[in-house]
């Protein structure tokens, strides 16, 4: 019998520069931080949060999105592993608003695409990780 699951618990992206990546994800998505190492953390807290590897984990609805700063190469969706991460929004108006946010931030992106089941807006993070915003059709 297969494992019964209903959602992702979390996704963690490996990045090269945590400050640059945090600025990008903070500016683009503005998600609340779920876990990060406080600057004045004692040794016990450092041990408990060692799984962060100096990164951060954001709260994304009922899921988590983490950034792990240990990479020293570049992202390639044509290699085994991650192809892209898609973030859900409510509707076409939210996709258009997302394009405006990216424009205001100077983040390059594709045009909004109708893929039949909904619309997508594709862009990349500072490590070239492929991201998209998806809105289903009603």
């Amino acid at each position: 019998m297969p494992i019964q699951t209903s959602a992702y618990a979390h996704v963690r992206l490996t990045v090269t520069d945590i400050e640059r990546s945090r600025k990008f994800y903070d500016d683009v998505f503005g998600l609340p931080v779920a876990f990060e190492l406080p600057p004045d953390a004692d040794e016990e807290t450092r041990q408990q949060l060692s799984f962060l590897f100096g990164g951060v984990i954001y709260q994304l609805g009922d899921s988590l999105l983490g950034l792990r700063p240990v990479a020293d190469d570049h992202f390639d969706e044509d290699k085994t592993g991650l192809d892209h991460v898609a973030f859900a929004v409510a509707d076409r108006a939210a996709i258009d608003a997302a394009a405006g946010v990216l424009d205001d931030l100077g983040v390059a992106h594709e045009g909004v695409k109708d893929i039949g089941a909904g619309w997508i807006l594709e862009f990349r993070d500072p490590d070239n990780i492929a991201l998209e915003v998806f809105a289903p059709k009603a």
Side-chain angles (χ1 to χ4, degrees):
M1 180 160 174
I3 296 170
Q4 300 296 309
T5 187
S6 60
Y8 291 102
H10 67 269
V11 170
R12 184 153 57 172
L13 304 174
T14 306
V15 299
T16 57
D17 181 326
I18 191 62
E19 288 80 21
R20 179 182 69 179
S21 292
R22 279 197 73 166
K23 178 166 180 19
F24 176 86
Y25 284 88
D26 288 349
D27 290 350
V28 171
F29 296 107
L31 299 171
V33 172
F35 300 99
E36 72 179 321
L37 185 66
D40 61 346
D42 61 23
E43 187 55 35
E44 182 180 348
T45 302
R46 289 181 185 285
Q47 295 263 338
Q48 288 174 336
L49 296 176
S50 64
F51 67 91
L52 294 173
F53 297 94
V56 63
I57 297 179
Y58 295 103
Q59 190 71 47
L60 177 60
D62 293 333
S63 301
L64 300 171
L65 173 68
L67 304 176
R68 183 176 185 244
V70 296
D72 61 3
D73 59 354
H74 69 280
F75 175 77
D76 182 348
E77 63 267 23
D78 293 326
K79 291 183 179 178
T80 300
L82 180 72
D83 180 79
H84 70 280
V85 177
F87 296 87
V89 296
D91 53 27
R92 172 63 194 256
I95 289 271
D96 292 336
V101 168
L102 296 176
D103 288 341
D104 290 347
L105 294 171
V107 175
H109 59 85
E110 299 292 322
V112 175
K113 295 178 183 173
D114 183 336
I115 61 167
W119 298 274
I120 61 171
L121 174 64
E122 300 167 298
F123 58 104
R124 293 186 178 261
D125 84 349
D127 283 299
N128 203 41
I129 297 173
L131 305 174
E132 70 183 39
V133 178
F134 169 79
K137 288 187 178 173

